[in-house]
Amino acid sequence: MTENILKKLNEIHPITSEGRAVFLPLLESVTIEQKEFLIRQGEKAQYVYILLDGAVRVFYNKDGNEYNKTFFVSNTFPTPITALLSNTNCELSFEALLPCKLVRFSYKKFRSLFEEHRCFESLMLRIMENLWIKKERHDIRMVTNDATTNYKIFKEEFPGLENQIPQYHIASYLGITPVQLSRIRAQLIKSRPN
Amino acid sequence: MTENILKKLNEIHPITSEGRAVFLPLLESVTIEQKEFLIRQGEKAQYVYILLDGAVRVFYNKDGNEYNKTFFVSNTFPTPITALLSNTNCELSFEALLPCKLVRFSYKKFRSLFEEHRCFESLMLRIMENLWIKKERHDIRMVTNDATTNYKIFKEEFPGLENQIPQYHIASYLGITPVQLSRIRAQLIKSRPN
DNA sequence: TTAATTTATTAACCTATGTTAATGTACAGT
DNA sequence: ACTGTACATTAACATAGGTTAATAAATTAA
């Protein structure tokens, strides 16, 4: 299981065998129930998470309204990056939408490996770069489209997720109301019955 | 001038004196006229830019429509990061809104310094981290607001820029039409005459 | 300075989406 | 099986923002 994780990291950037040796002991398995939180808005962040199974939503709460920012599915990293990097209180909440199996490790301990094991710093740079690339492409897609198109993109981006979570979470992610999403769905079914 | 740049980079992450020695020769001064491009959508990217004076807009062109994604003002980096990192054709265009003075350097040559001068890899990681933090905070602000609020945020974020560029560029940035921006401005003036 | 061009404002009308509320459906607990 | 709760759909109406077009203002060219 943890070997599997190292293998994936190694594809992003090669990890030395000494690196492996000091990294593996940092890993901890975690499972959480549906509706439990990895972290809540306002808390300090400690951990980097790797999601092995389940789904997580990330949302921002303002004046009692929740705005879903993104979802995480298997083999992604539902991690409060900004809070970890800047060591500030987390501005987002990470909530399990399904029962989740995860692996986590302390970001602080991980960071302390950089000095001696340069491969981890290089790895981190690669990860940030990949994040940036993905985020920019996602933004470009979303900005130029209407809600109907973005709903289709959501279904491509998170295949199958639609049937596992309430529609109002999807609506919030799309920046529309559940009512409007329902109208969009009705219209799609009418025009292209599938 | 170039010493000034090194000083700023040094604040982000310390650069060794050997690092300075190999980095400085990479720098080139560039000036461009209003409406000239640093790079156009579809082109390959080569350079990292540092904007000393002027303003640049970044936009995405889709079906003949332009969507302003962001602006760059003095002392920022109007650089096609994704295109450089992934060595793909640039998905965005960078256009001077005012006459610009810049410094640029080859990303490829910069990258080739990493192996021998670790400080540049660390610097790059810091830059990516800062970018991410800034982007996430910006996104959170924008997502939860209406166009009127975002217009106010734009004025805070880019002080003075409003009076130097056409309003339709601001409207595009806000995701609304120039007509709607004009209505918003009229309403703001009526309610709070300033 | 005048004319031409570009940009901003305003008005009339249209559409997508928000709001509220009623109804329908599905699942969970007893 | 019944009941309650949560969720989705639908309808009626309200509103922000889009579209088009006319006009006004500002900038640029002659």
Side-chain angles (χ1 to χ4, degrees):
Chain A
M1 185 94 303
T2 50
E3 268 308 321
N4 214 326
I5 289 169
L6 263 173
K7 194 175 156 228
K8 270 185 190 141
L9 296 181
N10 207 64
E11 281 166 21
I12 302 174
H13 187 86
I15 312 292
T16 61
S17 52
E18 308 89 65
R20 273 163 213 261
V22 294
F23 178 67
L24 278 175
L26 301 186
L27 297 178
E28 304 169 59
S29 281
V30 192
T31 61
I32 61 173
E33 294 306 309
Q34 200 172 11
K35 302 205 175 174
E36 283 191 314
F37 286 73
L38 292 176
I39 184 170
R40 282 167 200 270
Q41 200 167 333
E43 293 178 349
K44 288 281 189 210
Q46 285 190 68
Y47 297 107
V48 174
Y49 292 93
I50 302 166
L51 181 57
L52 303 179
D53 198 44
V56 170
R57 77 174 171 120
V58 180
F59 67 95
Y60 178 67
N61 186 313
K62 185 181 180 186
D63 310 327
N65 292 102
E66 295 182 353
Y67 300 84
N68 284 163
K69 194 173 146 52
T70 191
F71 302 105
F72 286 94
V73 294
S74 303
N75 295 311
T76 61
F77 301 81
T79 297
I81 298 176
T82 292
L84 287 174
L85 293 176
S86 61
N87 197 32
T88 52
N89 292 327
C90 195
E91 299 196 53
L92 302 165
S93 296
F94 289 66
E95 183 198 13
L97 292 172
L98 304 170
C100 290
K101 286 187 201 166
L102 307 108
V103 172
R104 74 177 186 195
F105 56 88
S106 157
Y107 175 70
K108 203 175 147 194
K109 288 183 187 165
F110 176 67
R111 195 93 192 179
S112 73
L113 303 180
F114 284 14
E115 190 57 44
E116 207 174 330
H117 301 274
R118 185 176 172 181
C119 59
F120 289 114
E121 186 169 24
S122 304
L123 172 71
M124 187 70 187
L125 176 55
R126 288 300 169 89
I127 289 174
M128 292 305 299
E129 289 176 347
N130 291 343
L131 271 179
W132 186 264
I133 292 168
K134 209 175 145 194
K135 173 83 171 128
E136 182 160 295
R137 297 207 169 122
H138 177 262
D139 283 0
I140 290 175
R141 288 189 93 181
M142 297 294 279
V143 161
T144 57
N145 298 131
D146 61 11
T148 304
T149 310
N150 285 339
Y151 172 55
K152 291 179 189 163
I153 292 175
F154 160 81
K155 291 198 286 187
E156 286 172 37
E157 226 172 354
F158 302 102
L161 186 58
E162 185 187 18
N163 305 310
Q164 299 179 274
I165 67 178
Q167 274 182 43
Y168 56 79
H169 282 322
I170 301 170
S172 170
Y173 171 74
L174 297 173
I176 57 178
T177 57
V179 174
Q180 182 60 11
L181 178 55
S182 183
R183 286 195 281 237
I184 287 171
R185 284 160 53 83
Q187 207 188 321
L188 286 177
I189 288 165
K190 201 174 56 181
S191 69
R192 205 189 319 154
N194 80 70
Chain B
M1 185 93 303
T2 49
E3 268 309 321
N4 213 329
I5 288 168
L6 263 174
K7 193 174 155 231
K8 268 183 192 143
L9 295 182
N10 208 62
E11 282 166 21
I12 302 173
H13 187 87
I15 311 292
T16 61
S17 54
E18 308 88 68
R20 273 163 213 263
V22 294
F23 179 66
L24 279 175
L26 300 187
L27 298 177
E28 304 171 58
S29 281
V30 191
T31 62
I32 62 171
E33 293 307 308
Q34 200 172 10
K35 302 203 175 176
E36 283 191 315
F37 285 74
L38 293 175
I39 185 170
R40 282 167 200 270
Q41 199 168 333
E43 293 178 350
K44 287 282 189 209
Q46 284 190 67
Y47 297 108
V48 174
Y49 292 94
I50 303 168
L51 181 57
L52 303 178
D53 198 42
V56 171
R57 78 174 169 119
V58 180
F59 66 95
Y60 179 68
N61 186 312
K62 185 180 179 186
D63 309 327
N65 292 101
E66 295 182 355
Y67 300 84
N68 285 163
K69 192 173 149 55
T70 190
F71 301 105
F72 287 94
V73 293
S74 303
N75 295 310
T76 60
F77 302 80
T79 297
I81 299 176
T82 292
L84 287 173
L85 292 176
S86 63
N87 198 32
T88 52
N89 292 328
C90 195
E91 299 196 53
L92 302 164
S93 295
F94 289 66
E95 183 198 13
L97 292 173
L98 305 170
C100 290
K101 286 187 201 166
L102 307 109
V103 172
R104 75 177 187 194
F105 56 89
S106 157
Y107 175 71
K108 202 174 148 195
K109 288 182 188 166
F110 175 67
R111 195 92 194 180
S112 73
L113 303 179
F114 284 12
E115 189 57 42
E116 208 173 330
H117 301 274
R118 186 175 170 183
C119 60
F120 289 115
E121 186 168 25
S122 304
L123 173 71
M124 186 70 187
L125 176 55
R126 288 299 168 91
I127 289 174
M128 292 305 299
E129 288 176 349
N130 291 342
L131 271 179
W132 186 264
I133 292 168
K134 208 174 146 197
K135 174 81 171 131
E136 182 161 294
R137 296 206 168 121
H138 178 262
D139 283 359
I140 289 176
R141 288 188 92 183
M142 297 294 278
V143 161
T144 57
N145 299 131
D146 61 11
T148 303
T149 310
N150 285 338
Y151 173 55
K152 292 177 188 166
I153 291 174
F154 161 81
K155 290 197 288 188
E156 287 171 35
E157 224 172 356
F158 301 102
L161 187 57
E162 185 188 18
N163 305 310
Q164 299 178 274
I165 66 176
Q167 275 181 43
Y168 56 77
H169 282 323
I170 301 170
S172 170
Y173 171 74
L174 297 172
I176 58 178
T177 58
V179 175
Q180 181 62 8
L181 178 55
S182 183
R183 286 193 282 237
I184 288 171
R185 285 159 54 83
Q187 208 188 322
L188 286 177
I189 289 164
K190 201 175 54 179
S191 68
R192 202 189 322 151
N194 80 66

